[in-house]
DNA sequence: AACCTCGGTTACACAAGGGGAACCGCCATG
DNA sequence: CATGGCGGTTCCCCTTGTGTAACCGAGGTT
């Protein structure tokens, strides 16, 4: 049973998805794409995300080169986030996915109901 | 601190992504889109996925109406999977995402190296 | 003096993701 | 007779993900 049989692209796609494919990253990118520049607590309130997860998510997105972080050492501190060029290019496939999601949510719900009824029956 | 401030679409996008947005679902859809109809162990070998996860993933995809399951009661049993119409429509945004992933993997790696060096320094 | 704001970090706890191995029935192959 | 393949299911266990709550420092507000 060789692993070499597996499709080569899957491994790489898997790699990228495990980095930027989590829900919070996707939602942060969508928000930044829509509103441009946003502050930390602005994102937090907008997404309904916990402080901890937002902090972790933004750090990863910055590390991966999708988000710029600008720190203004004022009192109180002000930190602004916006998308890099790569972040903006990521926005296209992501918003396509988001659009599909909104379009098909009801269809998925309907399919689930049908399936669950058939199983119970 | 009201939750009502949060963007309304995020909640729904989040819902759909938490259903069909996991890595294995995405990879299964990509495989089925590329090869058409596939058998269980064919997918397993192709993706390098564990038997357990493939079983769970296919069951959810069938329940959500993205995948058809056809059982042939032969000996040995033969079970074939292929995409439904909705599954095929899902393939478009997914393959856009996959394409972006392949295009930008090296850029992400480069950004990570730069970031990590700057942090260590 | 007490408390709030901003942008985090850290500790703790619990849920979910996911791999490995064993088992199933049934037949073909060695 | 033993083994292997097909298409799963079930159990065990470890790793991640994610929320909650507390804390930080400096300054402004009440």
């Amino acid at each position: 049973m060789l692993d070499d049989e597996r499709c080569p692209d899957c491994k790489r796609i898997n790699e990228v998805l495990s980095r930027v494919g989590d829900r919070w990253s996707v939602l942060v990118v969508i928000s930044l794409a829509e509103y441009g520049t946003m502050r930390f607590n602005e994102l937090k309130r907008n997404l309904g995300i916990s402080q901890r997860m937002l902090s972790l998510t933004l750090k990863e997105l910055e590390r991966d080169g999708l988000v710029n972080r600008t720190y203004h050492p004022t009192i109180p501190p002000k930190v602004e986030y916006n998308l890099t060029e790569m972040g903006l290019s990521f926005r296209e496939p992501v918003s396509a996915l988001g659009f599909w999601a909104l379009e098909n949510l009801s269809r998925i719900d309907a399919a689930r109901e049908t399936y669950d009824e058939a199983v119970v029956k």
Side-chain angles (χ1 to χ4, degrees), chain A:
Chain A
M1 178 99 49
L2 308 172
D3 280 348
D4 301 341
E5 300 179 43
R6 75 173 76 168
C7 92
D9 284 352
C10 287
K11 199 153 163 286
R12 303 185 66 215
I13 292 177
N14 211 338
E15 278 182 52
V16 177
L17 289 183
S18 62
R19 296 172 194 204
V20 294
D22 63 295
R23 282 201 307 291
W24 289 129
S25 295
V26 167
L27 292 178
V28 165
V29 168
I30 289 177
S31 275
L32 289 179
E34 186 169 351
Y35 294 98
T37 295
M38 293 181 83
R39 302 181 63 177
F40 186 87
N41 279 321
E42 211 171 348
L43 277 165
K44 179 166 174 277
R45 279 189 291 268
N46 189 250
L47 295 177
I49 184 179
S50 74
Q51 204 160 3
R52 195 181 97 89
M53 286 313 297
L54 180 56
S55 175
L56 292 174
T57 301
L58 284 171
K59 212 185 295 176
E60 278 301 297
L61 287 175
E62 189 199 355
R63 185 173 177 232
D64 288 343
L66 297 173
V67 158
N68 281 319
R69 183 185 121 103
T70 313
Y71 173 67
H72 303 277
T74 58
I75 303 284
K78 178 174 180 179
V79 181
E80 293 182 319
Y81 295 90
N82 64 334
L83 294 179
T84 63
E85 202 175 327
M86 181 158 56
L88 283 171
S89 78
F90 184 51
R91 186 204 142 196
E92 297 171 25
V94 160
S95 66
L97 201 67
F99 187 73
W100 186 91
L102 293 180
E103 284 266 296
N104 290 274
L105 179 56
S106 60
R107 263 188 280 268
I108 290 181
D109 283 335
R112 287 205 160 189
E113 274 189 40
T114 305
Y115 182 93
D116 291 347
E117 278 175 20
V119 169
V120 170
K121 191 184 56 187

